[in-house]
Amino acid sequence: MRTQAQRLSAATLETLLNAIDANDAITGAHVRRVASYALILGESAGLDKRTLHSIERVALFHDIGKLHEALTDIFHDPKKLTPEERRAVTTHPLRGAEVLEPLSVFYPELAKGVAAHHERWDGSGYPRRLKGRRIPLQARVVSIADTFDAITHRRRYSHARSFAEATRAIAEGKGSQFDPDLVDLFLSPPVLAKIERAMRQAHMPQQKRDKRRRGQIHRVPDITFRWRPRSRGSRSRGHQP
Ligand SMILES: [Fe+2]
């Protein structure tokens, strides 16, 4: 049974997630999909429950830095970014880590993982140019899930591309952008099958999803902060299916 403290921490994180939804429902939906893909990858890697919890938290809050006043206009503008705007965008991992800093006492990996989600395996990422295993595991997992979702889901500035195109992009990033072992695992047939199922479900109209969920027990692991899709009544307008 959960203790009062565990319930409080889950409620606090869920409140933070609601704040993301309230500001930007599209990002709210994106981070939930990223969390579900990241959990599939983490579970398939045989990671322990504690690490899975932290991967989920990093996935859910990896883009919280985009809410910063200096960046929201840029992210809401559908036109191509200027070089200056592009530079501003690269500040979002550290802005996110700053927002989450007070939680570091309880979740030491959270701010570090969020800060590192745009680092690349070969050391050419940002903001710290971390290389290889110096990049926190949570960030390495989330980075694959994030790229996969960015390709397969329509965003303000790009159209959705196919599942095959997304897996090709992940394969191409092996050893340069992404952890090669995690890429091999992600692209293995059993993991891809799970990812494809999760993707189809995430793209399903809400009504059909509700129906399916009723017959489904424990689709995601029972972790401390287990995100749950918001009820239909509370969905914001403009939320993508
Ligand atoms: Fe990001």
Side-chain angles (χ1 to χ4, degrees):
M1 215 177 72
R2 285 184 182 190
T3 64
Q4 185 72 358
Q6 282 172 325
R7 284 204 296 273
L8 176 62
S9 96
T12 306
L13 293 176
E14 190 151 2
T15 301
L16 201 52
L17 195 54
N18 284 344
I20 295 176
D21 282 326
N23 176 273
D24 179 358
I26 291 175
T27 296
H30 161 69
V31 298
R32 285 176 169 83
R33 290 192 302 274
V34 171
S36 78
Y37 303 144
L39 280 174
I40 291 171
L41 182 55
E43 276 191 308
S44 307
L47 300 173
D48 60 79
K49 215 168 156 184
R50 233 180 102 98
T51 312
L52 287 174
H53 292 193
S54 66
I55 286 175
E56 183 182 46
R57 287 188 289 262
V58 171
L60 289 172
F61 300 112
H62 74 277
D63 272 344
I64 201 166
K66 290 184 180 175
L67 264 56
H68 194 280
E69 192 187 19
L71 302 181
T72 48
D73 284 352
I74 299 175
F75 280 109
H76 284 90
D77 191 344
K79 67 178 191 311
K80 235 175 159 232
L81 300 183
T82 64
E84 198 188 326
E85 286 172 333
R86 211 178 291 277
R87 254 193 313 279
V89 163
T90 63
T91 63
H92 82 272
L94 284 181
R95 290 186 194 274
E98 266 170 41
V99 169
L100 297 164
E101 194 46 44
L103 287 170
S104 292
V105 185
F106 306 100
Y107 305 122
E109 309 89 352
L110 180 57
K112 284 183 196 149
V114 167
H117 79 275
H118 281 286
E119 298 289 358
R120 293 169 57 107
W121 183 258
D122 62 7
S124 68
Y126 61 87
R128 296 204 166 98
R129 294 182 156 266
L130 297 177
K131 205 173 176 173
R133 293 189 197 285
R134 297 188 80 105
I135 305 167
L137 174 62
Q138 292 82 354
R140 280 182 269 142
V141 171
V142 167
S143 151
I144 294 176
D146 187 23
T147 301
F148 178 82
D149 188 65
I151 295 174
T152 53
H153 208 88
R154 186 169 66 85
R155 302 185 101 175
R156 289 181 194 90
Y157 37 82
S158 64
H159 294 291
R161 286 178 283 152
S162 70
F163 183 81
E165 277 179 271
T167 53
R168 209 161 34 241
I170 304 288
E172 277 166 16
K174 178 178 168 178
S176 51
Q177 186 174 355
F178 308 119
D179 178 332
D181 293 339
L182 288 175
V183 168
D184 285 343
L185 189 61
F186 188 87
L187 296 176
S188 65
V191 176
L192 274 189
K194 284 183 193 164
I195 296 279
E196 194 173 10
R197 213 174 306 134
M199 186 182 98
R200 258 189 278 121
Q201 194 166 358
H203 289 215
M204 231 181 243
Q206 184 71 25
Q207 217 174 357
K208 215 166 162 188
R209 252 190 341 242
D210 287 345
K211 214 170 171 185
R212 179 165 294 201
R213 200 173 299 114
R214 277 199 286 274
Q216 216 174 36
I217 315 156
H218 296 316
R219 195 176 63 80
V220 286
D222 187 16
I223 54 182
T224 309
F225 172 55
R226 184 167 157 196
W227 63 271
R228 59 172 191 267
R230 301 159 74 217
S231 67
R232 267 216 294 163
S234 65
R235 281 169 75 222
S236 319
R237 306 257 172 255
H239 179 101
Q240 291 191 334

